[in-house]
Amino acid sequence: MSPGDFSFEPFYLVVAAALVVAYVRARPAGGWRAASFATGVFLLAAPLDSPMETIAAKRLLLVHLVQNALIADIAPLLILLGLTPAMRAWITRHGGARVRARFAIVAWLAAWYGTHLAGFYDWALRTGWGLNVEHGLLVVGGFLFWWPLVSGRLPAPLALAYLGAGFVASSFLGLAFIFSSHPFYAFYEHAPRLWGFSPARDQNLGGIAMNGEQTAVFLVAIGYYVSQLLKEEEHDARA
Amino acid sequence: MFALVGPMDTWADTHLAVHMAQHVVIGDAAVAVMVLAVRGPLLVFMLPAPVLVRVAKARAFFSLLLRPRVAFSLWAANLATWHVPYLYDAALRHRGLHDVEHGCWVVAGLLVWTLLVDPGSHRRLTVGGRIALAAAMFACGQILADVLVFSFHPVYPAYPGRLDQQLAGVVMMGEQLLTLGVLAFALLRPRIRGARLVAA
């Protein structure tokens, strides 16, 4: 299979279509929320149904890790940010209120680290359908992690502590990929190479991509909550 | 003292990670602990009266340096400047320049940590402002740490080891997480408690 060929995980096309239908039926006002939601849905479906999937599933760990970062970190956040207050209230009434931050972060980390264990990763790549499971766990983990923040239940100080803990706890995986001189995954060790990357270099670059993406996303989120904290102080000072 | 007099200083000549540890200790961790140690009334009695008189005369100058934007800009400029490969290597070759470099770390660190800890309770920054300053410092440090960790080629000719360079980045990241993280937690803790009480 050529690296430029399309591969599909049809389940995620169905999920993306269902999300779009549900969103349109709820009649959102449009604007930046709709744009955020659309971008999120695109970033959920496109990496799994494009040549990116072909390269990720057959050739390069680097592309697979970028794919994972997109569907687990960025897509769920953008989708949740795209929800209107009424949609968020509906989700809160239908189970969202039960998602506690302390459990959400543990579930997210378990998904993040668990799916990257060598045994699981190689199994998912060998079976093919296992990739659906891997990606499903990452997407659900991402939604769980971002929900306590986007739902607005965490005040700024707690949100900062939550993000700080998430940033520190999740960074070890990327660093492990960056510092390792031996490939973690047998599948990629024997996969046909692309762009001249050795298996070890491929893994190092994957770690860099993962770490860079997480640093950027978390710093932006931390910056937002710091600005909220400053606004709260300004408001209190005026009152 | 530990960082500049002893085996650490010797190892810093051959290992970038140790050199980085030396810098973060003298420019960050040590000044943070020093400023923390002179909080409250101790600050007034720490300096002899003649020195205090001279400090008072230069009050306007110190006030200018301790304006949050000025202090942060100086700190960030210092961080960026001394990590330019040409300057970094020049400091390694010339003892005098190396001493100036270390002096700059200490001064820049004292400026920002004075704002962060606020030993004299001058309230130049609110708690949110101090968190914002800590976050900005962390973001700047991350950029440098990422350059070192993500680079496959030696940035400084004097230190050719790639692993050594990556470890230097991790040292910087880890030290900042520790010092600024502890500070942020200490500042946020009362508010976190308050938020929990409100939620309960």
Side-chain angles (χ1 to χ4, degrees):
Chain A
M1 200 173 203
S2 156
D5 290 346
F6 272 70
S7 293
F8 296 96
E9 289 191 36
F11 174 71
Y12 292 96
L13 282 177
V14 174
V15 169
L19 283 170
V20 170
V21 169
Y23 194 77
V24 172
R25 283 182 67 180
R27 292 178 189 155
W32 71 266
R33 285 187 195 282
S36 173
F37 188 87
T39 310
V41 170
F42 176 77
L43 289 179
L44 178 68
L48 302 176
D49 300 283
S50 65
M52 196 173 187
E53 170 75 355
T54 310
I55 300 172
K58 307 280 182 205
R59 302 288 186 97
L60 290 181
L61 176 62
L62 160 65
V63 177
H64 197 161
L65 293 178
V66 170
Q67 195 184 39
N68 286 353
L70 288 173
I71 62 167
D73 269 353
I74 300 177
L77 175 60
L78 290 175
I79 289 171
L80 290 176
L81 285 174
L83 300 177
T84 61
M87 292 173 187
R88 273 188 262 150
W90 187 89
I91 294 173
T92 302
R93 283 197 305 276
H94 292 83
R98 289 188 198 153
V99 180
R100 296 286 174 93
R102 72 185 74 164
F103 300 124
I105 195 170
V106 172
W108 175 66
L109 287 169
W112 194 242
Y113 282 97
T115 53
H116 289 94
L117 288 173
F120 182 85
Y121 217 76
D122 279 330
W123 165 79
L125 285 159
R126 271 200 317 273
T127 57
W129 64 268
L131 286 173
N132 284 271
V133 179
E134 180 208 332
H135 294 147
L137 287 169
L138 287 169
V139 171
V140 171
F143 277 118
L144 285 174
F145 178 76
W146 291 113
W147 175 249
L149 292 165
V150 179
S151 64
R153 281 186 296 127
L154 290 184
L158 272 174
L160 284 167
Y162 183 74
L163 284 166
F167 178 66
V168 174
S170 64
S171 61
F172 297 103
L173 183 63
L175 289 174
F177 287 131
I178 293 171
F179 277 91
S180 62
S181 51
H182 302 289
F184 290 164
Y185 307 118
F187 180 89
Y188 286 111
E189 207 175 344
H190 305 294
R193 305 316 304 163
L194 190 64
W195 303 330
F197 297 144
S198 69
R201 179 57 66 98
D202 174 28
Q203 185 163 287
N204 297 153
L205 284 169
I208 288 171
M210 180 186 266
N211 226 295
E213 177 271 340
Q214 283 197 319
T215 302
V217 170
F218 275 84
L219 283 181
V220 168
I222 286 171
Y224 171 77
Y225 280 102
V226 167
S227 74
Q228 292 299 108
L229 197 66
L230 290 170
K231 274 183 194 163
E232 280 174 22
E233 278 183 346
E234 211 174 292
H235 181 263
D236 290 347
R238 277 186 196 156
Chain B
M1 287 287 285
F2 167 76
L4 296 175
V5 182
M8 198 172 185
D9 197 42
T10 312
W11 294 335
D13 291 339
T14 48
H15 297 85
L16 181 61
V18 180
H19 199 170
M20 179 61 85
Q22 195 181 36
H23 286 178
V24 295
V25 166
I26 63 172
D28 217 30
V31 287
V33 178
M34 270 160 47
V35 173
L36 199 64
V38 294
R39 276 196 316 164
L42 191 61
L43 186 64
V44 181
F45 299 108
M46 192 183 70
L47 298 173
V51 179
L52 269 179
V53 170
R54 286 185 184 177
V55 169
K57 281 181 184 168
R59 194 180 182 137
F61 176 65
F62 287 120
S63 293
L64 173 73
L65 287 182
L66 285 169
R67 279 185 195 169
R69 282 175 196 202
V70 175
F72 174 69
S73 301
L74 287 173
W75 179 87
N78 182 61
L79 181 77
T81 305
W82 286 113
H83 284 98
V84 171
Y86 175 78
L87 271 178
Y88 205 87
D89 282 346
L92 286 172
R93 284 195 306 273
H94 305 289
R95 186 72 241 178
L97 189 61
H98 206 169
D99 290 343
V100 171
E101 181 195 9
H102 287 170
C104 288
W105 291 122
V106 176
V107 172
L110 276 172
L111 289 176
V112 284
W113 278 99
T114 301
L115 290 170
L116 290 170
V117 175
D118 194 16
S121 298
H122 288 103
R123 299 183 194 282
R124 290 183 181 92
L125 283 172
T126 60
V127 170
R130 288 149 80 183
I131 299 277
L133 175 59
M137 287 169 64
F138 182 71
C140 288
Q142 276 293 295
I143 294 170
L144 175 64
D146 284 353
V147 167
L148 296 175
V149 173
F150 296 171
S151 177
F152 283 108
H153 303 288
V155 176
Y156 305 111
Y159 298 106
R162 185 188 140 206
L163 183 65
D164 181 29
Q165 179 170 295
Q166 289 181 316
L167 276 175
V170 172
V171 163
M172 171 146 202
M173 202 186 288
E175 187 274 344
Q176 276 206 316
L177 275 174
L178 189 69
T179 51
L180 296 172
V182 167
L183 174 97
F185 182 71
L187 291 173
L188 287 173
R189 202 174 167 199
R191 291 178 178 223
I192 292 173
R193 275 189 184 163
R196 278 188 179 157
L197 283 174
V198 170

